[in-house]
Amino acid sequence: MDDDGSQSITEVRKRKFAYQIGKDVTDRNGAVADSYFENYSGNRRYEDIFQAAFNSKYLVDLINAVWGAQAPYKLLDCGSANGLTLKQFDRLGVEAWGIENNAYIHSKTPVEWRRRNLLGDVRKMPFTDGSFDFIYETSLPYLPEEEIDQAIKEMFRVCRAGIVFHGTATDMTEEVIEDYELFAGLQTFWTFAEWSDAFVRNGFQFAVSDSSLLDEIWRIEQEADADDWNWYPNKESMRFSFFSKR
Ligand SMILES: C[S@@+](CC[C@H](N)C(=O)[O-])C[C@H]1O[C@@H](n2cnc3c(N)ncnc32)[C@H](O)[C@@H]1O
């Protein structure tokens, strides 16, 4: 409850989606339960929903707009499941690697991507400093709050240019939280602004400050989701998802 007696958006959303909370959370090495991947969205498995849910061109277009980067470059998918994203990035000329801490989904990595999709934890990664130009991040909200800073510091260490935060925030639209059951497996429930505070206190800087750049990434978002709901609730929230190392 806020000082004025009103409920924060996080409290409102947690109440509305209480049925999702605690689902697929385990304390086994901090990994989500295997069942998380069997019921990824609408009772469908991660593999079955992947093509419809993941759009590498959209992410590559955003990276190009924000940092002016063109493939080839190296990218790390933090929370890469069975490595299906790597193949999609590869088709666009991006050398993508992955790190995933759930052994069950990781064991389903196709043979040709096993060398680049590692079983490991974003809190301590087996990569040297500055190994990747960019990080595509989807794993942080599955960690407990007290471990987020350690994980972001580790991402800062292995990253050279910037990070795209694509994890769940409590102020996303209700439609998207409901459709994808985005609160299942989560341990940290923060708004976009709270996530950006965490990136900034661990060394990153906002990558989008200019309003024409914000217009451009909002246009990319609208085009990608033309016949669907938006991932971001509004243009302003997109400022809180792109961070540069320097
Ligand atoms: C929402 S899924 C996204 C999968 C993939 N990146 C995509 O975009 O389709 C998040 C992934 O992060 C993984 N994950 C959660 N905590 C992790 C950790 N501490 N280290 C590595 N992976 C983690 C989960 O097991 C899950 O596979």
Side-chain angles (χ1 to χ4, degrees), residues 37 46 77 79-84 99-100 102 105-107 109 117:
F37 301 97
Y46 176 72
D77 179 350
S80 51
N82 51 5
L84 296 181
I99 185 156
E100 168 59 47
N102 177 287
I105 194 72
H106 178 267
S107 73
T109 304
N117 195 34

Side-chain angles (χ1 to χ4, degrees), residues 30 32 36-37 40 46 50 54 77 79-81 85 99-102 105 120-123 136 138-139 142-143:
V32 293
Y36 171 85
F37 301 97
Y40 195 71
Y46 176 72
F50 176 76
F54 180 77
D77 179 350
S80 51
T85 61
I99 185 156
E100 168 59 47
N101 74 339
N102 177 287
I105 194 72
D121 199 296
V122 298
R123 288 164 285 193
Y136 161 57
T138 55
S139 64
Y142 301 93
L143 298 176

Side-chain angles (χ1 to χ4, degrees), residues 69-85:
Q70 305 226 352
Y73 51 74
K74 271 181 90 173
L75 175 144
L76 177 65
D77 179 350
C78 282
S80 51
N82 51 5
L84 296 181
T85 61

Side-chain angles (χ1 to χ4, degrees), residues 142-224:
Y142 301 93
L143 298 176
E145 272 186 30
E146 61 277 14
E147 292 178 20
I148 303 284
D149 283 356
Q150 179 192 341
I152 296 181
K153 284 191 177 79
E154 188 63 348
M155 291 174 194
F156 186 84
R157 184 184 69 74
V158 303
C159 158
R160 251 194 309 264
I163 185 163
V164 179
F165 173 64
H166 223 254
T168 299
T170 51
D171 46 349
M172 294 174 81
T173 65
E174 294 194 343
E175 290 81 358
V176 77
I177 296 170
E178 185 158 2
D179 236 38
Y180 275 139
E181 290 216 339
L182 288 182
F183 284 1
L186 289 204
Q187 297 201 56
T188 294
F189 295 85
W190 284 348
T191 59
F192 279 107
E194 288 170 322
W195 281 111
S196 70
D197 286 347
F199 283 102
V200 170
R201 74 172 168 262
N202 288 295
F204 285 102
Q205 297 172 9
F206 283 98
V208 178
S209 44
D210 170 309
S211 64
S212 59
L213 175 54
L214 189 59
D215 288 345
E216 172 62 5
I217 60 177
W218 182 241
R219 186 192 62 73
I220 294 170
E221 168 72 23
Q222 302 289 291
E223 278 185 7

